């Protein structure tokens, strides 16, 4: 059976590379069908050559992170493993050089190459579309970059918008003021913000109207100047709604539109504005589209398997599900 010996020079902490009780090694053995023998600052891998190559690429990533003093969580390592298995062009340098840093010390880093591309796109383009399955970090990373821009005074406002499909964009019959009406639909956005800043800081920014949260219907007639605007769940906008929103964009502003084309809740799915935009706006050089795949799902690794199982069932049995 083929084997290969790898020496890691300047290995400061073997535990960061091999994991507690060699748990990283055990995971790689399971995922790549290889046998790994750690020894000092070296390692020997047995298996077929293709799987040895994949295991070595993953070990190089772990070594790179260990030299920076980073311990990789099991779920994050599984995310990297799935990328390496499914993407021949995967390079860990792409996900280790991008980061969003807050004054509080909170650091948000991409976990996949598409997430790193997404961050670069938002930094370099005024209008970015992030399209892909749930759990790929589309909203979370957009909120992180928008909140960073707000706290550094690069923009005056962070505006968070969602279409309210279930209420038909008519919130009048719901109890409470506008904020109480729309809060349930924006809970995922709240969760992302609260992961980055304290609740007290969030309340202060809201009171100063530097963070604005509103349903899409309330954007009509406005011009969005000097703002970082995020339209979330855009697959549930109609063609006319998305056109209305995109024509609100003002100077010195950045806009991110996120959505999942497999989760359209509109009564007529072919009326989705996001579907149309992804067909007719791709030729405009100032607009960047970033497409996420199942391998970019960064929630629990079981989520990736659930999404794949549903997609397989829909393809084989009920494409209209």
């Amino acid at each position: 059976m083929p084997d290969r010996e790898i020496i890691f020079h300047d290995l400061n902490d073997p535990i960061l590379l091999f994991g507690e009780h060699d748990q990283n090694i055990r995971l790689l053995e399971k995922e790549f069908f290889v046998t790994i023998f750690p020894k000092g600052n070296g390692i020997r891998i047995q298996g077929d050559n293709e799987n040895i190559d994949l295991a070595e690429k993953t070990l190089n990533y772990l070594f790179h992170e260990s030299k920076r003093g980073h311990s990789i969580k099991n779920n994050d390592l599984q995310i990297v493993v799935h990328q390496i298995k499914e993407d021949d062009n995967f390079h860990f340098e792409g996900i280790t050089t991008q980061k969003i840093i807050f004054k509080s010390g909170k650091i948000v880093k991409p976990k996949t190459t598409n997430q790193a591309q997404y961050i670069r796109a938002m930094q370099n383009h005024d209008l970015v579309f992030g399209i892909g399955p749930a759990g790929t970090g589309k909203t979370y990373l957009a909120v992180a970059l928008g909140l960073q821009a707000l706290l550094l005074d690069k923009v005056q406002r962070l505006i968070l918008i969602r279409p309210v499909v279930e209420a038909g964009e008519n919130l009048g019959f719901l109890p409470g003021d506008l904020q109480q009406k729309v809060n349930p639909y924006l809970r995922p956005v709240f969760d992302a913000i609260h992961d980055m800043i304290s609740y007290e800081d969030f309340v202060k920014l809201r009171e100063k109207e530097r963070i604005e949260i509103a349903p899409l219907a309330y954007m009509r007639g406005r011009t969005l100047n000097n703002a970082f605007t995020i339209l979330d769940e855009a697959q549930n906008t109609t063609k006319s709604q998305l056109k209305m929103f995109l024509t609100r964009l003002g100077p010195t502003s950045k806009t991110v539109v996120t959505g999942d084309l497999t989760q359209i809740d509109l009564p007529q799915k072919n009326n989705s504005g996001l579907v149309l935009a992804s067909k007719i706006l791709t030729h405009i050089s100032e607009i960047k589209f970033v497409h996420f795949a199942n391998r970019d799902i960064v929630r629990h690794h079981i989520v990736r398997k659930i999404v794949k199982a549903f997609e397989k069932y829909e393809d084989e049995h009920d494409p209209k599900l």
Side-chain angles (χ1 to χ4, degrees), residues 82-280:
H82 281 284
Q83 290 184 86
I84 289 173
K85 291 168 71 172
E86 298 176 18
D87 184 0
D88 293 336
N89 297 316
F90 173 80
H91 296 287
F92 66 79
E93 293 86 353
I95 64 173
T96 56
T97 56
Q98 293 286 331
K99 60 181 64 176
I100 303 168
I101 303 174
F102 293 88
K103 291 181 179 179
S104 64
K106 171 73 176 181
I107 298 176
V108 177
K109 298 186 293 184
K111 297 180 179 180
T112 74
T113 51
N114 279 336
Q115 285 192 349
Q117 179 190 2
Y118 186 48
I119 291 175
R120 286 194 297 272
M122 290 187 289
Q123 290 171 334
N124 298 323
H125 292 76
D126 290 337
L127 176 56
V128 175
F129 286 79
I131 301 174
T136 51
K138 304 182 301 294
T139 302
Y140 188 87
L141 292 174
V143 169
L145 205 63
L147 196 56
Q148 182 197 51
L150 181 71
L151 296 175
L152 293 176
D153 291 322
K154 293 181 178 179
V155 296
Q156 289 302 307
R157 291 177 296 161
L158 173 59
I159 305 175
L160 308 165
I161 305 164
R162 263 193 172 193
V164 186
V165 172
E166 296 85 347
E169 286 288 353
N170 180 5
L171 304 176
F173 66 90
L174 293 177
D177 58 19
L178 171 62
Q179 199 55 61
Q180 291 171 321
K181 295 173 192 288
V182 78
N183 275 355
Y185 302 98
L186 288 155
R187 177 51 52 189
V189 177
F190 288 146
D191 291 343
I193 292 175
H194 294 157
D195 192 39
M196 299 167 204
I197 61 174
S198 68
Y199 177 77
E200 292 76 15
D201 288 340
F202 171 69
V203 170
K204 290 177 183 178
L205 290 168
R206 290 291 311 282
E207 289 176 347
K208 294 178 180 177
E209 298 185 347
R210 298 202 66 194
I211 293 181
E212 179 181 348
I213 299 171
L216 177 59
Y218 285 71
M219 293 297 106
R220 189 174 298 278
R222 297 183 57 181
T223 300
L224 304 176
N225 290 327
N226 201 11
F228 193 112
T229 306
I230 301 169
L231 172 59
D232 197 28
E233 300 289 352
Q235 76 275 4
N236 290 327
T237 63
T238 64
K239 297 171 184 176
S240 59
Q241 284 174 329
L242 188 56
K243 178 184 176 182
M244 176 273 293
F245 171 75
L246 294 177
T247 54
R248 302 303 95 202
L249 308 185
T252 64
S253 65
K254 280 186 177 287
T255 301
V256 181
V257 179
T258 72
D260 179 358
L261 296 178
T262 68
Q263 294 191 14
I264 299 173
D265 298 319
L266 295 170
Q268 295 180 323
K269 296 183 185 300
N270 61 359
N271 194 34
S272 169
L274 187 59
V275 172
L276 179 64
S278 63
K279 293 178 180 178
I280 68 172

Side-chain angles (χ1 to χ4, degrees), residues 57-76:
K57 183 180 287 190
T58 310
L59 286 164
N60 285 332
Y61 163 74
L62 286 169
F63 177 60
H64 179 272
E65 291 298 277
S66 72
K67 290 186 69 174
R68 302 168 70 190
H70 296 165
S71 177
I72 306 302
K73 297 179 180 178
N74 183 269
N75 193 62
D76 290 345

